[in-house]
Amino acid sequence: TAPPLTGPMSTWHLIVVMGYAAFAIGVPTFFTTRILRKLRDREAALEARTAELIDAGKQKSVFLASVTHELRTPIHGVSGLAELIASGVYGPPTERQRQAAQSIKQSAQSLLHLVDDLLALVRAEVGRVEIQATTFALRELVEQVTASVGWMLGTKQLTLATDVADAIVTTDRRLVSHVLVNLVANAAKFTPTGGRVDVRAHVAGDRLVLTVADTGVGIAAEDQQAIFEAFRQLDRGDERAYGGVGLGLALVKRLVDALGGTIAVVSAVGVGSTFTVELPPPPSRGAADDVELAGQRQTVESA
């Protein structure tokens, strides 16, 4: 502490008091300034690194979108040629040749489905999702979806059953179709021969409820959140029993989020899984404009 004053302040006392004041104020200020400078430097470095990561993410998304889009043309070409061979355009095919052409077509369709999923996932991640609500018959949509996924069943002998309400709904038909296709494909993939896949759809209040249940291998409780992560497969190891790259459920989650809905799973290992999607009615035009002005609107483009 500064020396006490016992009389009139002398020059020596004045110097000591000023020196003490300068020390008491200057030293903390010096160290505080250094700390703040280091914090500012680290903040600037962190902002630069964040900007690099954001730019890298955008470049990755653009690259994936471009590649997957360009892959569609040759895949369609392979599928078309397989159809021509099977139809006899290049001469009457034998039964084995017809079966081989059918296998080629199924493989091309499987690859095209993967490409479409990857393209849709990239667009959903970068926020390029435009909700286009239309009014349609729910039963017609489900029948169309179940008919289109027949090739995904392959040689498996599965029972694919539907229970659909006679209802007219208003939402984005294309996105709902994509959600259902991926849920059914996922159920078929993990359900062994002799199993069952049930697709149910109805309206509860103002919400559209879609349910896909299977009697497949099931999912452990600790893994039920991880299944919605992109490129995450619970079937690990070099010798995997099931194909795929882990895009289907991740894409379903992105699309359901874009539609403002929720998805839940109830599953037990060895028993099967049930996925339930609930979708609200599309927002009014005014509400959509408010969301867009707030900078929170997502848009989904067609592939």
Side-chain angles (χ1 to χ4, degrees):
T1 60
L5 298 177
T6 57
M9 181 176 292
S10 64
T11 301
W12 181 80
H13 277 98
L14 183 60
I15 293 174
V16 171
V17 170
M18 292 180 64
Y20 173 77
F23 177 82
I25 297 174
V27 171
T29 301
F30 172 75
F31 284 106
T32 301
T33 302
R34 289 192 61 184
I35 293 172
L36 289 175
R37 185 181 298 115
K38 289 183 178 180
L39 289 175
R40 283 195 293 268
D41 291 343
R42 291 183 180 181
E43 181 181 8
L46 182 59
E47 289 178 350
R49 180 58 177 165
T50 301
E52 292 176 359
L53 291 174
I54 292 175
D55 183 63
K58 289 181 179 179
Q59 291 182 9
K60 181 202 72 173
S61 297
V62 170
F63 172 76
L64 287 176
S66 299
V67 170
T68 50
H69 181 74
E70 292 301 323
L71 283 173
R72 291 174 59 86
T73 299
I75 293 174
H76 279 300
V78 171
S79 180
L81 285 173
E83 287 186 357
L84 292 176
I85 292 173
S87 65
V89 171
Y90 300 107
T94 64
E95 184 59 29
R96 291 186 62 184
Q97 290 173 335
R98 186 178 289 106
Q99 291 176 356
Q102 182 64 24
S103 296
I104 292 173
K105 182 179 178 181
Q106 289 181 349
S107 297
Q109 287 177 324
S110 179
L111 184 57
L112 183 61
H113 178 70
L114 174 61
V115 169
D116 286 342
D117 281 354
L118 183 57
L119 182 59
L121 181 64
V122 170
R123 287 177 168 172
E125 287 184 341
V126 299
R128 295 175 58 190
V129 184
E130 181 182 346
I131 307 302
Q132 299 177 351
T134 58
T135 300
F136 55 90
L138 185 57
R139 181 180 297 276
E140 179 186 350
L141 171 68
V142 175
E143 289 177 351
Q144 182 181 24
V145 168
T146 53
S148 69
V149 298
W151 63 269
M152 296 181 183
L153 302 181
T155 58
K156 283 186 179 180
Q157 298 299 319
L158 298 179
T159 299
L160 180 58
T162 61
D163 181 9
V164 186
D166 287 321
I168 304 298
V169 297
T170 300
T171 185
D172 191 309
R173 178 186 176 118
R174 179 178 54 88
L175 297 188
V176 173
S177 175
H178 214 151
V179 166
L180 269 179
V181 166
N182 278 279
L183 287 178
V184 175
N186 181 77
K189 180 194 302 183
F190 293 101
T191 301
T193 297
R196 180 184 179 93
V197 177
D198 288 282
V199 181
R200 298 185 288 272
H202 66 278
V203 176
D206 63 347
R207 300 178 73 85
L208 171 61
V209 182
L210 308 172
T211 303
V212 177
D214 63 65
T215 58
V217 297
I219 308 164
E222 62 271 18
D223 294 327
Q224 291 180 12
Q225 292 301 317
I227 59 175
F228 296 110
E229 299 175 12
F231 306 106
R232 184 71 176 268
Q233 280 277 43
L234 301 183
D235 181 27
R236 305 179 183 91
D238 294 333
E239 297 182 359
R240 292 165 49 193
Y242 305 97
V245 295
L247 281 181
L249 292 179
L251 177 59
V252 167
K253 182 65 167 63
R254 302 297 197 283
L255 296 182
V256 169
D257 287 344
L259 290 166
T262 60
I263 181 170
V265 57
V266 176
S267 183
V269 175
V271 177
S273 304
T274 299
F275 290 86
T276 302
V277 173
E278 293 191 17
L279 301 176
S284 63
R285 182 59 185 170
D289 290 341
D290 292 341
V291 173
E292 186 174 7
L293 290 174
Q296 298 175 354
R297 182 184 180 190
Q298 287 183 304
T299 58
V300 177
E301 287 185 351
S302 59

